[in-house]
Amino acid sequence: DAKTTQPPSMDCAEGRAANLPCNHSTISGNEYVYWYRQIHSQGPQYIIHGLKNNETNEMASLIITEDRKSSTLILPHATLRDTAVYYCIVRVAMEGNTPLVFGKGTRLSVIA
Amino acid sequence: NAGVTQTPKFQVLKTGQSMTLQCAQDMNHNSMYWYRQDPGMGLRLIYYSASEGTTDKGEVPNGYNVSRLNKREFSLRLESAAPSQTSVYFCASSEDWAAGNTIYFGEGSWLTVV
C-alpha cells in the first residue's frame, strides 16, 4: 500500500471550512483513499473514501486530484466536536489484502 | 445497537500476570481486528481474523495470542504482561477485508501493566 504524508497539526476557526491535505504520490491505480478520525480517547470513526472521483457524504467531502497523488478532506462547517486526529490511508481494494494501517494523522483543533 | 463491544474498559495488571480482552460484534461481520495505541502514536495492528476460523499476525504480534471463538467474538490474550504492553487496545470489525468496507471500532480498553 502507498505511503501517505499529512501535516501533524492544523487549526480551524469554528464555522469555517476545514481543509485537511494528504499526499500519496506513490498511489497506484487500484488503491482507494480512506479517511478516518479519532476523537480523543475514542475508537476511530470512518468518514469517507474514494478512488478517482470526488465524493461527498453527510460528514465531509473528499477531493482527489486528477493525477491522484494528493487529496483533501473538507469539513464544510467545522464545529468544536470536529476536533480530532484525522487519518488518511491508502489501500488496495482487493480480497486478501492486509487491513488498514494507521499512521500518525493530522491533529485538527477547531477554535471558537 | 451495540456495534463492537470490548471488555474490560480498564485494567491494571502486575508484570507477569495474564489476562484476556474480550470483543464481540453484533453486525454479522466476517473480519475482526485488534489494534493497540500508545500515547501520541497512531494505531498499530496486533492480529486480525479475516474470517471465522482464521487468524493472522499484524505489525506487532509479539507477546499476544488471539482466538476467533465464533463469528461474533475475537479475544486477545496477554500470557505474561510486560510494562511495554501498557496501551489502549481497540477491537474492530468489518463486513470483510475486501474493497471499501468500513471498519467499525469499539470504545477501547485501557491496560496498565505495573
Side-chain angles (χ1 to χ4, degrees):
Chain A
D1 296 331
K3 181 180 169 141
T4 62
T5 303
Q6 299 178 252
S9 63
M10 292 181 63
D11 292 338
C12 177
E14 188 178 21
R16 304 295 292 269
N19 298 287
L20 292 95
C22 181
N23 182 284
H24 31 79
S25 58
T26 61
I27 194 170
S28 59
N30 61 348
E31 288 184 304
Y32 281 75
V33 179
Y34 295 80
W35 284 85
Y36 281 73
R37 74 180 183 183
Q38 187 175 22
I39 296 170
H40 179 64
S41 299
Q42 298 180 18
Q45 175 190 25
Y46 166 82
I47 301 173
I48 198 166
H49 74 282
L51 183 62
K52 294 181 181 179
N53 299 321
N54 298 337
E55 302 287 344
T56 295
N57 62 21
E58 64 278 2
M59 289 182 69
S61 295
L62 174 61
I63 308 298
I64 302 174
T65 58
E66 193 169 341
D67 63 7
R68 301 187 70 240
K69 293 186 176 182
S70 65
S71 60
T72 301
L73 178 74
I74 301 174
L75 307 179
H77 304 287
T79 70
L80 297 178
R81 286 178 293 181
D82 291 321
T83 293
V85 177
Y86 288 77
Y87 298 98
C88 169
I89 304 164
V90 171
R91 178 174 179 251
V92 176
M94 59 179 281
E95 286 204 34
N97 192 24
T98 55
L100 291 177
V101 176
F102 290 77
K104 292 188 177 181
T106 296
R107 182 173 297 279
L108 175 69
S109 298
V110 180
I111 303 166
Chain B
N1 48 355
V4 179
T5 304
Q6 298 178 226
T7 56
K9 193 166 178 67
F10 300 97
Q11 183 73 49
V12 178
L13 284 178
K14 293 183 179 178
T15 298
Q17 285 185 318
S18 62
M19 78 158 296
T20 300
L21 298 175
Q22 307 286 355
C23 176
Q25 51 90 9
D26 62 2
M27 296 173 281
N28 201 35
H29 284 168
N30 288 309
S31 300
M32 298 185 72
Y33 317 87
W34 276 105
Y35 288 87
R36 62 176 285 177
Q37 186 171 35
D38 301 327
M41 303 288 289
L43 283 85
R44 291 184 293 171
L45 183 66
I46 306 171
Y47 270 95
Y48 63 99
S49 171
S51 61
E52 185 179 358
T54 69
T55 60
D56 284 284
K57 296 178 180 179
E59 301 172 71
V60 288
N62 292 343
Y64 305 94
N65 285 303
V66 291
S67 296
R68 184 73 183 268
L69 304 170
N70 48 55
K71 192 172 185 179
R72 290 187 64 249
E73 299 173 289
F74 188 40
S75 63
L76 178 72
R77 182 161 179 84
L78 288 70
E79 291 291 351
S80 179
S84 61
Q85 294 179 301
T86 293
S87 191
V88 183
Y89 291 84
F90 290 100
C91 178
S93 71
S94 64
E95 188 174 329
D96 59 48
W97 66 335
N101 287 304
T102 300
I103 296 182
Y104 296 87
F105 285 82
E107 294 189 352
S109 296
W110 274 252
L111 176 65
T112 301
V113 183
V114 298

